[in-house]
Amino acid sequence: MKRKLRSGMSASLLAVAACIALHSPHSLAARDAQTILKETCQGCHTPEADNALSRISHQRKTPEGWLMSIARMQTMHGLQISDDDRRTLVKYLADTQGLAPSETDGVRYALERRLNTVEQFDDPTHQMCGRCHSGARVALQRRPAQEWERLVNFHLGQWPSLEYQALSRDRDWFDMARKEMVPLLAKRYPLDNPAWKKWQSAAPKAEALVGDWSFSGHLPGKGELAGVMTVSADGSDIFKVSVKGQYADGSPFNGDGSAILYTGYEWRGNVTIDGVTMRQVFAAQGNAMQGRMFEAEHDERGLDFVAAKQGSQRLLAVQPGYLKAGSESEVTLIGSGLTGKPDFGKGVEVLDVIEQSPERIKVKLKAAANAQPGVRAVTVGTLKGPSLSVYSKIASVKVVPEFSVARIGEGGGSTPKVQGRFDAEAWGKGADGKPYRIGVFPAQWKVEAFDDRAREDEDVKFAGTMQADTGVFTPGDAGPNPARKMSTNNAGNLKVIAAVDDAGKSLTGEGHMIVTVQRWNNPPIP
Ligand code: HEC
Ligand code: HEC
């Protein structure tokens, strides 16, 4: 295995293997982290005062970040380390040199593998760094200036051709990286940050996560779901997890698995739901968990997940979150510690409470025919947060994500296809003339050629198939296709069109999807 690793196993394969490790609890550490650091790292990293090692002791990052650094030591520098030792080290380093919750705010999408996120980093980060990998990879690290500088040196030393690439050959990349980027990064992402010190001393105990959690979620192409996740302790920072839930259409969402807690809040779970392994990447703090749960083999198939510990008081979601003026409909509130009659604001009447427990309240609502269109805060007692949108007609439809990437796969190769998964969002026009989000509606889906080139190349015919009633697009097989011009592959450039019916009137929205080749290099942080 080790020999093979160095000679043949690709960095991406290693990263995938390592990522699986990150989500599964290991046997109790056979060797402690200090011993491993001494015996496997110290050969190349110089000991310093206070038990520190050069480079390693001067950075903070996420579990995925540490995993990538160590995986790089293996693929590029010939480090030999067992999977068990690597797990022990990642855990230790993420715990002692991790990021505070506030330091990961706004960039968790990269950990949650929301790969269709369009990043908004300002120049120069965007062009100088974000052209090869996500800006989040940068924002999820903390270092002093010297370590940012070494990182720049490492980049050029390892990939000297980067200076000849687009967005480098038009400028003096190395000079700019050292003189502009290093000071900027050291200021924006410093090693020493009061937030981290505070988190280290004030982080809640892991045992506080043990118990029943009420959760709510949404899976594009399938809909909303809710249920209970039971967490029990299975060692230090290790948990057993059991999920019992249901989609709005009644289909089950049940399974079991395990999870490990890094840095006091970075929850990484591995749960098999109805035979399919899903990863959990949550921020778990006190009585709240939030993040994304996605299929291990298909991270594009994932759901937004939010949970509240039973016994705490929180209103998580209103399912569905909309109601048409002049109509009656059943709506379910999900949360914990829910008591009393919910209130949905002006013009919305609760006709009947069909079901009521601290975790769920199901009601029948009626919106007055003249109820003003717009968003209303929903309250249960003192609890609030989610909203209900009342509408009389849909003004426009948005395809979400507006821009996305699907990937061809299989076709004799081992890389799976990456699907496109879409939601149709209905938007209304408020009394103030401003657009407001009504919610996700059922739609009829199709794809069309994005431009003349795509029309000429018959991309619609070759690039894949859109499922008309779910918005799930499955790309074509990988490899050359003799039926296409110059036997090219099944890539394509497509418009994604959703048609939503509003009382007999069809409204359409449009998105853009690139169907491209496999992602060969797929590290834990994109
Ligand atoms: C065979 C030599 C070798 C061994 C063994 C080794 N490293 Fe490294 N390490 C390097 C070199 C060379 C660099 C600088 C180039 C780079 O970043 O890849 C480095 C850099 C690093 C960095 C800084 C990366 C960055 O992004 O700035 C970290 C962190 C690190 N090593 C961690 C470790 C850990 C943890 C171990 C032990 C499990 C280890 N290394 C073992 C050679 C080694
Ligand atoms: C030419 C493409 C390219 C550019 C430009 C680039 N990077 Fe990277 N970066 C990489 C690659 C490749 C890796 C290594 C990924 C791995 O370890 O699997 C990497 C790794 C990293 C890491 C993780 C290192 C670790 O071990 O913790 C950080 C942080 C990073 N880059 C920051 C930056 C910053 C900051 C800039 C801009 C100054 C930048 N990158 C520009 C390609 C690039």
Side-chain angles (χ1 to χ4, degrees):
M1 170 75 176
K2 275 176 192 152
R3 285 219 66 79
K4 235 169 119 196
L5 244 184
R6 294 177 63 183
S7 57
M9 195 174 180
S10 72
S12 63
L13 264 183
L14 177 67
V16 169
C19 194
I20 293 165
L22 197 63
H23 289 258
S24 10
H26 43 97
S27 49
L28 280 179
R31 300 205 296 154
D32 70 278
Q34 286 296 346
T35 311
I36 303 169
L37 282 168
K38 236 183 215 99
E39 289 178 5
T40 57
C41 311
Q42 200 171 297
C44 301
H45 292 270
T46 325
E48 297 171 348
D50 295 332
N51 226 1
L53 288 176
S54 66
R55 311 298 317 273
I56 302 171
S57 305
H58 309 290
Q59 319 188 342
R60 293 191 288 115
K61 44 192 136 186
T62 57
E64 285 81 1
W66 282 113
L67 179 58
M68 280 176 69
S69 294
I70 299 177
R72 190 169 77 248
M73 298 302 119
Q74 293 180 264
T75 53
M76 285 185 180
H77 305 312
L79 162 71
Q80 308 254 340
I81 188 169
S82 71
D83 290 354
D84 262 345
D85 280 359
R86 190 179 55 212
R87 281 190 208 108
T88 305
L89 266 194
V90 168
K91 175 78 173 86
Y92 172 79
L93 290 166
D95 286 350
T96 54
Q97 295 170 232
L99 302 187
S102 62
E103 292 177 312
T104 67
D105 265 359
V107 273
R108 298 192 63 81
Y109 57 83
L111 305 173
E112 293 168 354
R113 303 201 58 83
R114 300 176 191 266
L115 298 191
N116 284 318
T117 305
V118 177
E119 292 191 310
Q120 306 286 345
F121 280 89
D122 51 358
D123 278 337
T125 315
H126 188 68
Q127 296 199 343
M128 290 291 289
C129 312
R131 74 174 162 90
C132 291
H133 48 66
S134 67
R137 189 187 285 183
V138 183
L140 287 168
Q141 298 229 351
R142 296 295 181 275
R143 303 162 178 244
Q146 193 182 42
E147 279 299 319
W148 284 115
E149 178 157 13
R150 285 179 174 146
L151 180 79
V152 166
N153 287 319
F154 147 72
H155 272 72
L156 194 61
Q158 196 71 50
W159 302 289
S161 63
L162 82 76
E163 286 196 306
Y164 305 107
Q165 296 163 2
L167 296 176
S168 265
R169 56 174 175 255
D170 60 342
R171 69 196 76 188
D172 189 345
W173 186 90
F174 189 46
D175 205 50
M176 280 176 74
R178 277 184 309 166
K179 293 190 181 140
E180 287 176 40
M181 292 307 300
V182 168
L184 185 113
L185 293 166
K187 187 158 168 255
R188 208 179 270 173
Y189 310 122
L191 180 69
D192 294 316
N193 182 356
W196 171 241
K197 295 237 159 60
K198 197 168 153 218
W199 174 251
Q200 275 187 303
S201 60
K205 290 254 176 306
E207 298 84 73
L209 300 175
V210 168
D212 284 343
W213 294 73
S214 175
F215 71 83
S216 156
H218 172 86
L219 178 70
K222 178 80 178 166
E224 292 172 310
L225 71 159
V228 174
M229 180 168 91
T230 302
V231 173
S232 56
D234 194 27
S236 163
D237 287 351
I238 298 173
F239 305 94
K240 278 205 181 89
V241 178
S242 137
V243 174
K244 237 178 137 47
Q246 216 176 35
Y247 285 98
D249 70 4
S251 54
F253 185 80
N254 298 331
D256 293 293
S258 57
I260 174 164
L261 193 72
Y262 297 89
T263 330
Y265 73 103
E266 290 287 8
W267 174 280
R268 301 292 182 269
N270 227 352
V271 180
T272 304
I273 300 286
D274 304 313
V276 179
T277 307
M278 295 188 84
R279 306 250 189 270
Q280 296 179 322
V281 175
F282 302 155
Q285 271 191 71
N287 292 321
M289 274 201 214
Q290 187 150 10
R292 186 163 179 263
M293 192 165 168
F294 49 87
E295 288 186 19
E297 297 297 320
H298 282 274
D299 54 26
E300 77 274 23
R301 297 185 202 153
L303 47 105
D304 300 321
F305 182 99
V306 57
K309 181 97 174 283
Q310 291 186 9
S312 70
Q313 285 204 308
R314 195 146 155 244
L315 179 57
L316 293 172
V318 177
Q319 300 180 350
Y322 53 79
L323 182 62
K324 190 163 189 166
S327 80
E328 291 177 13
S329 175
E330 285 178 9
V331 163
T332 307
L333 279 69
I334 311 291
S336 74
L338 308 179
T339 55
K341 199 173 163 188
D343 184 84
F344 295 86
K346 242 175 113 183
V348 180
E349 190 189 343
V350 178
L351 295 179
D352 187 18
V353 178
I354 301 163
E355 191 189 316
Q356 176 141 23
S357 75
E359 290 76 47
R360 259 173 105 81
I361 304 178
K362 191 170 180 180
V363 290
K364 186 162 198 183
L365 297 184
K366 182 181 165 73
N370 62 353
Q372 207 173 72
V375 180
R376 286 155 173 73
V378 177
T379 58
V380 185
T382 55
L383 306 181
K384 52 182 180 227
S387 57
L388 181 82
S389 293
V390 174
Y391 71 103
S392 54
K393 63 177 203 265
I394 297 173
S396 63
V397 171
K398 280 189 189 174
V399 168
V400 181
E402 194 184 351
F403 178 74
S404 70
V405 176
R407 293 174 187 274
I408 56 177
E410 297 162 19
S414 60
T415 310
K417 296 176 181 187
V418 176
Q419 293 178 331
R421 300 213 139 213
F422 302 93
D423 272 335
E425 261 184 16
W427 284 66
K429 206 177 203 176
D432 54 4
K434 288 199 184 120
Y436 67 97
R437 184 181 181 276
I438 300 173
V440 173
F441 273 60
Q444 284 299 306
W445 296 88
K446 64 175 179 181
V447 290
E448 284 180 2
F450 187 77
D451 55 16
D452 290 343
R453 175 88 260 167
R455 203 161 298 118
E456 217 171 280
D457 291 343
E458 298 181 279
D459 286 2
V460 171
K461 182 168 154 197
F462 294 111
T465 317
M466 176 63 92
Q467 221 173 58
D469 50 358
T470 60
V472 173
F473 177 87
T474 305
D477 287 344
N481 184 349
R484 293 201 87 172
K485 202 183 340 174
M486 299 180 68
S487 283
T488 190
N489 60 35
N490 287 323
N493 188 9
L494 302 172
K495 276 183 199 167
V496 176
I497 296 169
V500 170
D501 176 77
D502 185 19
K505 192 178 159 207
S506 175
L507 287 109
T508 59
E510 201 178 291
H512 185 190
M513 172 171 58
I514 304 279
V515 183
T516 187
V517 295
Q518 300 93 317
R519 178 190 293 274
W520 299 117
N521 187 353
N522 198 14
I525 300 179

